[in-house]
Each structure stands twice: as structure tokens, then as C-alpha cells.
Amino acid sequence: MADGISSFWGPVTSTIECCEINYAYSSYIAEFYNTISNVPGILLALIGLVNALRQRFEKRFSILHISNMILAIGSMLYHATLQHVQQQSDETPMVWEILLYMYILYSPDWHYRSTMPTFLFLYGAAFAIVHAYLRFGIGFKVHYVILCLLCIPRMYKYYIHTEDTAAKRIAKWYVATILVGSICWFCDRVFCKTISQWPVNPQGHALWHVFMSFNSYCANTFLMFCRAQQRGWNPKVKYFLGVLPYVKIEKPKTQ
């Protein structure tokens, strides 16, 4: 939306602006709420990373949590500046992250171990180079949605083969957060003119960030539980401060 006060970063060069007045609170932060709403994503990813390292989960999960943090930081840079270069720091990690999810979901049954990570790495690198020079616009969204849809069948398979009630509840929270978050994102994009006339802007895109922070955490936690089951680590769902779920494992002494 139109600037509120003078900007430190100069004219907007990004291809997307959200339904929030630019530089309303600071000349250094273009979209204030869309910037600070990424903080929960960083904190939740840090909690997940500490748990993965402390219990010596496979490195893929540590990398996954780190990728969540990189995405949140990239999103903060993008919404704080609304510059095209920083937009890449938001969108490119989104693709890298979903490719990592695809690896974690499909690799247990992939017989040629080196081919999948090699292909996904090359695909992610090629996308980053092409996306740096071309502004895909709607093409990026379609591409990202397709990658997400490819994950759904495998995620559903994991769900139906999981008997633990607490783990299934985490999967349900994963679905609920992405649905509610998507509604917030959609309303912010489609009904911005109407929302701008309200006494209070609900900041739909910022809410999308918050819901997706919990969505990523739930996805990671559920996948850690499923992987621990596959490895025979006797996983159990525990709760940090009685609220935030995490996976507690008991590895055999031989491991």
C-alpha cells in the first residue's frame, strides 16, 4: 500500500505488496506487522532445532529447522524493505524448504539413495539462478502450490499409518493452521480495498505468517515422530510448558 512516511530503502521494487500501510511506524521497516510476525517462526524453529540436536535426530531434521529459520529471516528482510532482491530471499527459501520436505517424505522408500538428494539439490540451485533473473509473479505461486500438492499423498499415508493419538492430533493441527492461515492470506490479497476502510486492519498477511510458523513446527514434529517410528526409537509426544508438543525418543543402546 502507499507509503505512510519517507522510506530509508527507496522506492518499492518488489512485485508484491500486502494490505498494510508502508512505513507507518518507522522509515526502516516498510511493512511493520508483516515483518515482526516472522518472529514466532524463528523461535519455533529454534526450539525444534534444539530438540533435534539434543536427542541426536538425523541431520535432515536439523537442516529442516534451520531452513525454517532462514525462510523467516528472509521474509523479514523482504517485508522490511520491499525490494526485489530481498523478495528473492523470501521466495527462493520457500522452494528450497518444500524440496527438503519432499526428500524427508519420500526418501525412506527411495531405493537409489543418491539420486533423490542430487536431483533436488540441482533443481533448487537451478530455480534460485533462474528466479534471480526472472520475475515469475503468478508463475511462482503456481509452481510452489504444485510442489506442496506433491507432498500431500505421502503426508496422508504417514497419517493413516500412525496410530498414536497425540501424533495424529499434531497432524490435524498442521491441517487446521494451513487452512486458517490460507484464508487470512486470501482475504488480505483479495479484499484489501474493503479491509483498508475498516477502523482496524486485521493484518491478514501477518496472521498468515503466524499460522504458518505453527504449521511448519507441527509438520516437522509429526515427521520427526514418524521417522522415529521407522527407526524403532519408541517416540512419544511430550509438551513443553504443557502446551507446545515435541517428540521424545528412546534409542536402543546399540544406536
Side-chain angles (χ1 to χ4, degrees):
M1 294 178 65
D3 294 355
I5 57 179
S6 60
S7 64
F8 174 80
W9 304 104
V12 172
T13 59
S14 63
T15 59
I16 300 174
E17 287 187 78
C18 300
C19 194
E20 180 178 355
I21 298 176
N22 297 346
Y23 301 102
Y25 300 99
S26 170
S27 60
Y28 297 98
I29 303 177
E31 296 177 343
F32 180 78
Y33 291 106
N34 289 341
T35 300
I36 64 171
S37 58
N38 285 286
V39 173
I42 297 174
L43 295 178
L44 289 171
L46 182 60
I47 293 173
L49 176 62
V50 170
N51 184 42
L53 293 173
R54 184 172 59 85
Q55 298 193 80
R56 292 184 297 163
F57 270 89
E58 292 165 301
K59 291 181 180 179
R60 65 187 69 180
F61 291 106
S62 297
I63 297 173
L64 181 59
H65 290 299
I66 292 173
S67 75
N68 292 156
M69 282 190 278
I70 292 174
L71 175 56
I73 293 171
S75 181
M76 291 182 74
L77 292 174
Y78 162 47
H79 288 288
T81 64
L82 291 182
Q83 299 297 298
H84 177 63
V85 173
Q86 281 72 27
Q87 185 176 352
Q88 309 307 304
S89 69
D90 176 32
E91 294 178 346
T92 299
M94 287 174 65
V95 173
W96 288 350
E97 182 184 71
I98 203 68
L99 293 176
L100 185 54
Y101 277 118
M102 292 176 68
Y103 171 73
I104 291 174
L105 284 166
Y106 286 98
S107 63
D109 294 334
W110 193 262
H111 299 293
Y112 306 98
R113 294 188 176 183
S114 62
T115 56
M116 178 178 285
T118 301
F119 171 76
L120 294 177
F121 174 81
L122 293 176
Y123 187 95
F127 172 82
I129 294 172
V130 174
H131 192 43
Y133 291 97
L134 300 178
R135 300 193 180 194
F136 288 121
I138 188 65
F140 169 80
K141 297 182 180 66
V142 173
H143 172 247
Y144 183 73
V145 169
I146 291 174
L147 292 179
C148 291
L149 291 176
L150 291 174
C151 295
I152 291 178
R154 191 69 174 186
M155 199 72 165
Y156 180 70
K157 180 181 178 180
Y158 277 25
Y159 176 81
I160 62 177
H161 284 86
T162 300
E163 298 181 356
D164 187 90
T165 303
K168 280 182 172 289
R169 188 180 301 115
I170 295 174
K172 291 176 181 177
W173 275 109
Y174 163 79
V175 175
T177 50
I178 197 171
L179 288 176
V180 177
S182 297
I183 292 173
C184 294
W185 178 88
F186 179 81
C187 292
D188 186 83
R189 292 290 299 165
V190 177
F191 303 114
C192 182
K193 290 184 179 180
T194 302
I195 292 173
S196 299
Q197 298 174 1
W198 292 359
V200 177
N201 186 336
Q203 304 298 339
H205 196 86
L207 290 174
W208 154 261
H209 286 162
V210 174
F211 280 113
M212 291 309 295
S213 297
F214 284 97
N215 175 265
S216 297
Y217 182 84
C218 289
N220 297 358
T221 304
F222 179 71
L223 290 175
M224 290 170 73
F225 183 94
C226 294
R227 183 58 176 165
Q229 275 192 323
Q230 294 171 351
R231 298 298 301 271
W233 291 345
N234 191 28
K236 292 181 175 60
V237 176
K238 302 294 184 178
Y239 293 90
F240 180 67
L241 299 178
V243 177
L244 192 66
Y246 68 95
V247 179
K248 176 71 175 179
I249 60 175
E250 296 178 8
K251 290 184 178 181
K253 293 184 178 180
T254 55
Q255 298 185 37

